Amino acid sequence: MSLYPSPQVQPRSWRGRVVWFMVAGMHRRIDWPLLSAVAGLSVIGLLLVWASTAAGGDPAASMGFVRRHLAHLGLGAVVCLAVAAVDYRVPRAYAPIIFVLAAVGLSLVLTPLGAVINGSRSWIVVGGFQAQPGEVAKIALILGVAMLLGEPRDGEHAPTTRDVLGSLVALAVPMGLILLQPDLGTAMVLGAIYLGMLALSGAPIRWVLGLVGCGLLGILAVWWFGLLKDYQLARFATFVDPTADPQGAGYNANQALIAIGSGGLSGTGLFRGEQTAGRFVPEQHTDFIFTVAGEELGFLGGALIIGLIGVVIWRTLRIAAGCDGPYGRLVCVGVASWLTFQSFINIGMTLGIMPITGLPLPFVSYGGTASIAHLTAIGLVLGIHGRYRAFH
């Protein structure tokens, strides 16, 4: 069966022909298991946002959250499909501009336009508009590092020392601005993205080992010189000993375990969780949304979410393995590193195996900038997949 539509049914205008050919080839350009897993997570997330916000007893407020989240998902889906439809070299061409815009956004956060939420100045708030530039910085870092490490010069087959040093500068700019907020969670995600991309770029292993060593020394230096805020120290202290302050810094972690444990195998059912209804877990529609899944959907529901995230990561890495060029491969590796690390940290903190950080669960947690950023990343992967499928 031909990939292209019959000449008898093609639109007459050139714009119509472009759209028609894109739609006609969509079944071949899109990785359907990946897109289906993302759609499944988004639907589950929408239901969990509804269940977690309905717990307050205010239907109007709850539906407001649901409508806003649905709008975020709709906008993210449009951006995802738009990015997937264009040649993957188009985002690469705009990578320097995206990087500069992300750096400017991170700088504005440190001005009076920035707002302090949950202890860190991570948001730009202008009237009713809110944005988190740190999410844009993740995409900017992936595109920038892929451009620097994934395009060897003539005669080279792997990144040179100059390429690696340039990529380290690209990492240092957003990470430095984010640490000034301070937002350790987002900084760790940037570090994980870069480490994953560097490790699979073909760069000498000494760079990877050196980066890990510098990271460990940096953590020790931050701790030794007392650079952490009091609330950050309290989070680490309660992670080491959850019983140290059960009504204070350890409250979130303890209540998260109680909520998840009360769900059992199959859960209490949506809108029937006592812990969720009592709002015993703070931020249960954002950072702690997995506790709602654990209580109301049980072990099976939590396993389904983890399984779908696993499908997203697996398909992304499979697309990376099928790339002929290093640039596309590194973009996919960066996205997979991002989603893997952030999902592990988010779910791990609700289970008590990781310290509390302000990182949302990809595709599931309520959020505007984060939801759009996650879907944009999937659009990048789909665009790369479509490009290589078109020539194989």
Side-chain angles (χ1 to χ4, degrees):
M1 181 178 178
S2 174
L3 175 65
Y4 301 103
S6 170
Q8 287 78 12
V9 295
Q10 291 181 20
R12 294 182 179 276
S13 68
W14 69 268
R15 292 184 180 88
R17 286 176 179 266
V18 170
V19 174
W20 184 255
F21 278 109
M22 286 171 51
V23 173
M26 195 65 72
H27 71 282
R28 191 170 187 269
R29 292 173 58 86
I30 285 184
D31 186 285
W32 290 107
L34 172 60
L35 193 61
S36 298
V38 171
L41 287 168
S42 299
V43 171
I44 293 173
L46 185 64
L47 291 174
L48 294 178
V49 168
W50 186 10
S52 62
T53 55
D58 187 347
S62 175
M63 291 310 299
F65 277 102
V66 172
R67 283 192 294 268
R68 286 192 294 273
H69 190 55
L70 191 59
H72 298 152
L73 292 176
L75 179 57
V78 171
V79 175
C80 174
L81 294 178
V83 172
V86 301
D87 192 299
Y88 79 99
R89 290 171 293 188
V90 173
R92 181 255 174 263
Y94 287 96
I97 298 176
I98 297 172
F99 189 88
V100 170
L101 290 177
V104 171
L106 291 172
S107 301
L108 290 176
V109 165
L110 304 175
T111 70
L113 292 177
V116 178
I117 299 176
N118 294 330
S120 63
R121 183 181 289 271
S122 305
W123 296 82
I124 294 176
V125 179
V126 180
F129 172 79
Q130 295 184 352
Q132 193 173 12
E135 298 296 332
V136 181
K138 297 172 186 176
I139 295 176
L141 179 67
I142 290 173
L143 294 175
V145 172
M147 182 179 66
L148 292 168
L149 298 182
E151 297 179 353
R153 296 174 180 82
D154 293 339
E156 301 287 346
H157 301 286
T160 63
T161 298
R162 179 180 176 182
D163 297 329
V164 175
L165 291 176
S167 67
L168 284 172
V169 173
L171 170 66
V173 172
M175 182 171 284
L177 291 170
I178 286 171
L179 287 174
L180 291 175
Q181 297 177 3
D183 184 354
L184 290 182
T186 300
M188 289 192 299
V189 173
L190 292 182
I193 290 172
Y194 181 80
L195 185 61
M197 297 179 72
L198 180 66
L200 296 180
S201 68
I205 190 64
R206 65 177 182 271
W207 283 107
V208 180
L209 296 177
L211 183 65
V212 173
C214 290
L216 294 175
L217 290 176
I219 293 174
L220 292 175
V222 168
W223 185 276
W224 182 263
F225 291 106
L227 300 179
L228 293 176
K229 301 291 185 179
D230 290 340
Y231 77 92
Q232 293 170 331
L233 290 172
R235 285 178 176 179
F236 281 106
T238 55
F239 168 66
V240 175
D241 182 10
T243 63
D245 188 10
Q247 298 301 319
Y251 178 81
N252 290 7
N254 287 324
Q255 291 300 322
L257 288 175
I258 293 172
I260 292 176
S262 64
L265 179 64
S266 57
T268 60
L270 283 175
F271 309 101
R272 296 180 180 178
E274 293 183 0
Q275 297 294 317
T276 301
R279 292 182 175 271
F280 292 107
V281 182
E283 308 296 336
Q284 60 186 7
H285 64 301
T286 53
D287 300 344
F288 283 90
I289 199 166
F290 193 75
T291 64
V292 182
E295 181 182 19
E296 301 193 348
L297 302 181
F299 173 82
L300 296 177
L304 176 61
I305 291 174
I306 294 174
L308 289 174
I309 292 174
V311 171
V312 172
I313 296 168
W314 164 56
R315 297 305 300 181
T316 300
L317 291 176
R318 180 157 183 165
I319 292 170
C323 291
D324 295 334
Y327 173 79
R329 181 168 59 250
L330 285 181
V331 169
C332 293
V333 168
V335 172
S337 301
W338 170 10
L339 299 179
T340 301
F341 183 81
Q342 187 161 319
S343 298
F344 177 78
I345 294 294
N346 178 276
I347 296 174
M349 73 179 185
T350 64
L351 298 176
I353 61 174
M354 294 300 293
I356 302 296
T357 55
L359 293 174
L361 184 58
F363 312 111
V364 180
S365 292
Y366 174 87
T369 315
S371 296
I372 296 171
H374 294 145
L375 291 171
T376 301
I378 296 301
L380 291 172
V381 174
L382 291 175
I384 292 168
H385 170 74
R387 167 71 178 178
Y388 284 102
R389 282 295 300 271
F391 292 94
H392 290 81

